[in-house]
Amino acid sequence: MITDLRSDTFTKPSPAMLEAMFTARVGDDVFGEDPSVNQLESMAASLFQMEASVFCPSGTMTNQIAIKCHTQPGDEVICQKLSHVYIYEGGGIAFNSGSQVKAIAGDRGRIYADQVVEMINPDDVHRARTSLVCLENTSNRGGGSCYEMEDMLQIKQVCDLYNLQLHLDGARFFNALVAKKQNRLQYGEIFDSISVCFNKGMGCPIGSVLVGSASFIKSARRVRKVLGGGMRQAGYMAAAARYALANNIERLGDDHHHAKIIVEALIRKDYVGHILPVETNIIIFELKNNHTAKTFADALRHQDILAIPISANQVRMVTHLDITEDMVRQTVDAIKAID
Ligand SMILES: Cc1ncc(COP(=O)(O)O)c(C=O)c1O
């Protein structure tokens, strides 16, 4: 038995999810004729009481489409310096949108309204036009940290004042929702576009939705086609996402609980340095004394547990749907056994 804590992207469809996929009604989605995709897209829009949504293969695609639709070449995008849209999407902001980034140091992946204000360029021909702010909730490199609703509302006020669009990379939106017990409809009021992934911790093999106004999603569909993301009988995948929406959201709380159990074991070890506060399902911590990220990950691997070094002295572990209580216990024992 391998306990794979490298990422929540490793979850696999359960037999019940596969059954939902096998029995899905499908059609050609590029023609708008896939009933399962159409149903998922209207469910996703109504989650936030927004007008429309579009189903895409990946969270990278939904983020990049959103950025493309919100910007013009030469514009500037404000985001946190470790945000996925900036450091993990292959330079996509430059590649796809011809825009540049102004990155804020922030705090555990989050940025704040006063920091955004400082980064907005004046209306001056020498300067790039600031047009978009991107937030990530939960923040991957921030160790699964969550935004307070109040902080997002304050950023929204700044965006309204300076005529900026506001996009949410909600790859792990449901983790934030469950952890903070927030009102999802408020997200629909705050953001101009929201990307939500079903391939993280939810068991789905593929799929993200981008949600926004009807006109925004009309443009997004065009960009999705340009990027080669127009899928045909995508209803099989949409059925998995619909299954996840119905069955795999509330249980994310179990993953958060499992992460806290693992942290309790880490705290007690001399070879563990700073641990980012654990709010959801991601644990990021430093190694010290006789361990580097690699030696620690190697020691775990010898006990059939996989974790991922994210720098020379930092390791990430992520709990998810396919991590059972037994696996958590096994991980705790393994951590205790390493010196
Ligand atoms: C915060 C965040 N945004 C976006 C993505 C991209 O998702 P995908 O792997 O579906 O392209 C990821 C992937 O891990 C992520 O962690």
Side-chain angles (χ1 to χ4, degrees), residues 171-217:
R172 296 181 181 80
F173 164 74
F174 291 116
N175 288 94
L177 202 66
V178 167
K180 302 299 276 186
K181 300 188 176 23
Q182 288 163 334
N183 175 356
R184 55 188 153 77
L185 298 183
Q186 261 190 298
Y187 279 84
E189 288 162 13
I190 293 174
F191 290 95
D192 297 292
S193 56
I194 301 177
S195 158
V196 176
C197 291
F198 298 106
N199 60 2
K200 291 170 190 75
M202 311 262 285
C204 300
I206 191 172
S208 296
V209 280
L210 180 62
V211 190
S213 69
S215 62
F216 173 82
I217 294 300

Side-chain angles (χ1 to χ4, degrees), residues 80 83 100-101 202 215 333:
Q80 203 270 343
S83 47
Q100 62 189 37
V101 167
M202 311 262 285
S215 62
D333 290 345

Side-chain angles (χ1 to χ4, degrees), residues 7-9 57-63 83-85 88-89 136-141 169-172 195 197-200 206-208 282 316:
S7 174
D8 48 6
T9 55
S58 71
T60 300
M61 190 179 280
T62 41
N63 280 335
S83 47
H84 200 279
V85 292
Y88 289 130
E89 297 187 3
E136 186 176 311
N137 197 22
T138 69
S139 162
N140 180 348
R141 282 299 300 270
D169 175 356
R172 296 181 181 80
S195 158
C197 291
F198 298 106
N199 60 2
K200 291 170 190 75
I206 191 172
S208 296
I282 301 180
R316 190 186 74 168

Side-chain angles (χ1 to χ4, degrees), residues 64 67 73 85 89-101:
Q64 290 300 319
I67 294 165
V85 292
E89 297 187 3
I93 295 180
F95 190 94
N96 298 309
S97 301
S99 290
Q100 62 189 37
V101 167

Side-chain angles (χ1 to χ4, degrees), residues 67-300:
I67 294 165
K68 177 74 185 160
C69 292
H70 286 310
T71 59
Q72 293 296 319
D75 280 2
E76 200 159 81
V77 176
I78 294 175
C79 62
Q80 203 270 343
K81 71 171 187 186
L82 295 177
S83 47
H84 200 279
V85 292
Y86 181 38
I87 62 168
Y88 289 130
E89 297 187 3
I93 295 180
F95 190 94
N96 298 309
S97 301
S99 290
Q100 62 189 37
V101 167
K102 207 178 254 172
I104 297 177
D107 154 49
R108 287 194 286 129
R110 298 165 301 193
I111 58 176
Y112 298 97
D114 54 338
Q115 298 173 322
V116 173
V117 171
E118 271 176 36
M119 292 291 170
I120 297 170
N121 286 334
D123 184 8
D124 173 336
V125 289
H126 298 88
R127 308 297 296 274
R129 190 178 70 103
T130 309
S131 56
L132 174 65
V133 177
C134 291
L135 307 186
E136 186 176 311
N137 197 22
T138 69
S139 162
N140 180 348
R141 282 299 300 270
S145 60
C146 304
Y147 273 93
E148 297 297 336
M149 191 58 75
E150 184 52 34
D151 292 328
M152 292 186 285
L153 277 165
Q154 284 178 12
I155 292 175
K156 168 69 175 164
Q157 280 167 10
V158 169
C159 289
D160 284 348
L161 196 62
Y162 290 89
N163 200 21
L164 311 179
Q165 299 293 295
L166 185 56
H167 171 69
L168 175 66
D169 175 356
R172 296 181 181 80
F173 164 74
F174 291 116
N175 288 94
L177 202 66
V178 167
K180 302 299 276 186
K181 300 188 176 23
Q182 288 163 334
N183 175 356
R184 55 188 153 77
L185 298 183
Q186 261 190 298
Y187 279 84
E189 288 162 13
I190 293 174
F191 290 95
D192 297 292
S193 56
I194 301 177
S195 158
V196 176
C197 291
F198 298 106
N199 60 2
K200 291 170 190 75
M202 311 262 285
C204 300
I206 191 172
S208 296
V209 280
L210 180 62
V211 190
S213 69
S215 62
F216 173 82
I217 294 300
K218 188 165 182 244
S219 311
R221 281 187 194 284
R222 176 175 286 273
V223 179
R224 181 185 69 167
K225 191 77 183 88
V226 172
L227 295 178
M231 299 180 286
R232 302 295 177 175
Q233 286 70 25
Y236 295 114
M237 300 303 157
R242 278 169 41 205
Y243 179 91
L245 279 176
N247 298 283
N248 290 347
I249 293 179
E250 282 311 316
R251 64 146 309 283
L252 291 169
D254 298 346
D255 301 339
H256 304 171
H257 177 60
H258 288 161
K260 291 204 168 77
I261 294 175
I262 294 173
V263 162
E264 284 305 312
L266 288 169
I267 284 169
R268 289 180 168 71
K269 297 306 288 193
D270 288 345
Y271 60 76
V272 175
H274 181 60
I275 308 174
L276 290 185
V278 173
E279 296 186 43
T280 53
N281 65 330
I282 301 180
I283 311 164
I284 294 180
F285 56 98
E286 287 175 2
L287 281 306
K288 58 177 190 172
N289 299 348
N290 47 340
H291 274 291
T292 64
K294 185 176 179 318
T295 62
F296 177 74
D298 286 348
L300 279 183

